[in-house]
Amino acid sequence: MPETTSRSSSTATTTGCQPTSSASARRPKATAVRRPHRSRSRIGVGLAGGFYPAPHRYDLFLSAGCPRSLRVSITLDLLGLGETVATTLLTHPAETPAGFAALRGAYEATVHHYDGPLTVPALRDRWSGRVVSDHTPDILRDLAGLFPGRDGTPLLDTPNLAPDIDALRDLLERHVTPAAQPSGRSAALSHLDRHLSGRPYVLGDALTAADVDLWVALVHLGPVSAPRPYPRLGEYVRRLAGHPAFRGRSDAVPDAA
């Protein structure tokens, strides 16, 4: 993996997903947007203690069709936090009006007279009603590092893993997306295919946050760019699709080569 200098958050781009408001959409998707304001508080971080971790204090707003939301949802399942951190899945405003109203209220409680877009994933502090963070790498890191999960849950993100996880996120954001340049995408996929030679997971023998990131990126490439020419990536996607936390998460799992 390429080296990175950041350990506190990913070096990748930090746009979130904006739930669609198109009245004609049958299966709502989320599109990346840039925002003039970003909530970047942390759980348990800061001189004043930040937002300290407490069961049932936080909830998450996620969106159907949003890769970042899928990463957060899988992470919650892997860590066994489904009963500790509640989630609200947004689809279309007409289908989930209460969810959109709650998310709007959280942004308005965070920023006076807020009139910007609603971005997900968004982590809300239920005690104050404010958005703690809508920066996905920070949300993922706080979930993995600050909330105790079930016995036997994987250590998805630790200080020694953080540089490699951040480096992979940067690579995926730049080159492993449907909008990436084909030449750069092919080079990145070839590199990742070779990287998986002789190892079951991206960083070795244990499943980590890097695998959540890579799996979601691969299944969101779509049929045109699915990793069929890359046998190790194809086998990797199919194998993780059988894991309980990943199973049924996507219709884009490639067929066997």
Side-chain angles (χ1 to χ4, degrees):
M1 294 295 102
E3 292 186 359
T4 178
T5 59
S6 172
R7 294 185 61 184
S8 61
S9 61
S10 174
T11 58
T13 55
T14 57
T15 54
C17 294
Q18 180 184 6
T20 182
S21 59
S22 171
S24 61
R26 293 189 60 190
R27 294 192 63 187
K29 299 294 182 182
T31 56
V33 295
R34 293 192 180 275
R35 293 167 25 81
H37 166 79
R38 178 161 292 281
S39 297
R40 289 291 304 273
S41 296
R42 300 291 301 276
I43 299 177
V45 174
L47 295 177
F51 291 85
Y52 70 86
H56 313 296
R57 174 173 179 174
Y58 303 96
D59 60 2
L60 281 155
F61 292 91
L62 307 175
S63 176
C66 170
R68 289 177 175 83
S69 293
L70 181 56
R71 287 162 59 192
V72 171
S73 181
I74 291 172
T75 299
L76 285 173
D77 278 0
L78 285 171
L79 296 173
L81 294 175
E83 296 183 0
T84 302
V85 182
T87 59
T88 297
L89 182 65
L90 304 177
T91 56
H92 191 281
E95 298 170 349
T96 53
F100 276 89
L103 180 58
R104 170 63 67 183
Y107 274 106
E108 291 176 347
T110 308
V111 180
H112 188 54
H113 294 311
Y114 181 79
D115 61 356
L118 306 181
T119 301
V120 294
L123 178 69
R124 178 177 65 171
D125 173 25
R126 301 169 81 176
W127 294 0
S128 67
R130 296 186 299 165
V131 174
V132 176
S133 178
D134 55 12
H135 181 69
T136 303
D138 286 350
I139 293 173
L140 291 169
R141 187 142 290 156
D142 288 349
L143 291 174
L146 295 170
F147 282 108
R150 301 181 304 243
D151 291 341
T153 54
L155 294 175
L156 295 181
D157 196 341
T158 60
N160 64 305
L161 295 176
D164 286 336
I165 291 171
D166 286 344
L168 177 67
R169 286 175 178 167
D170 184 67
L171 176 69
L172 297 177
E173 289 279 356
R174 293 175 184 273
H175 299 300
V176 187
T177 70
Q181 291 293 326
S183 59
R185 184 170 58 236
S186 295
L189 291 172
S190 295
H191 166 74
L192 291 166
D193 194 69
R194 293 191 301 271
H195 181 78
L196 284 172
S197 177
R199 64 179 71 195
Y201 301 105
V202 179
L203 300 185
D205 294 329
L207 190 151
T208 68
D211 296 289
V212 178
D213 296 334
L214 176 58
W215 190 84
V216 170
L218 292 175
V219 300
H220 274 82
L221 284 179
V224 174
S225 303
R228 184 170 296 175
Y230 311 98
R232 297 182 189 91
L233 288 179
E235 189 278 332
Y236 171 85
V237 170
R238 292 187 293 274
R239 175 163 48 85
L240 282 189
H243 189 289
F246 294 80
R247 187 178 300 131
R249 297 285 190 170
S250 174
D251 296 329
V253 178
D255 297 328

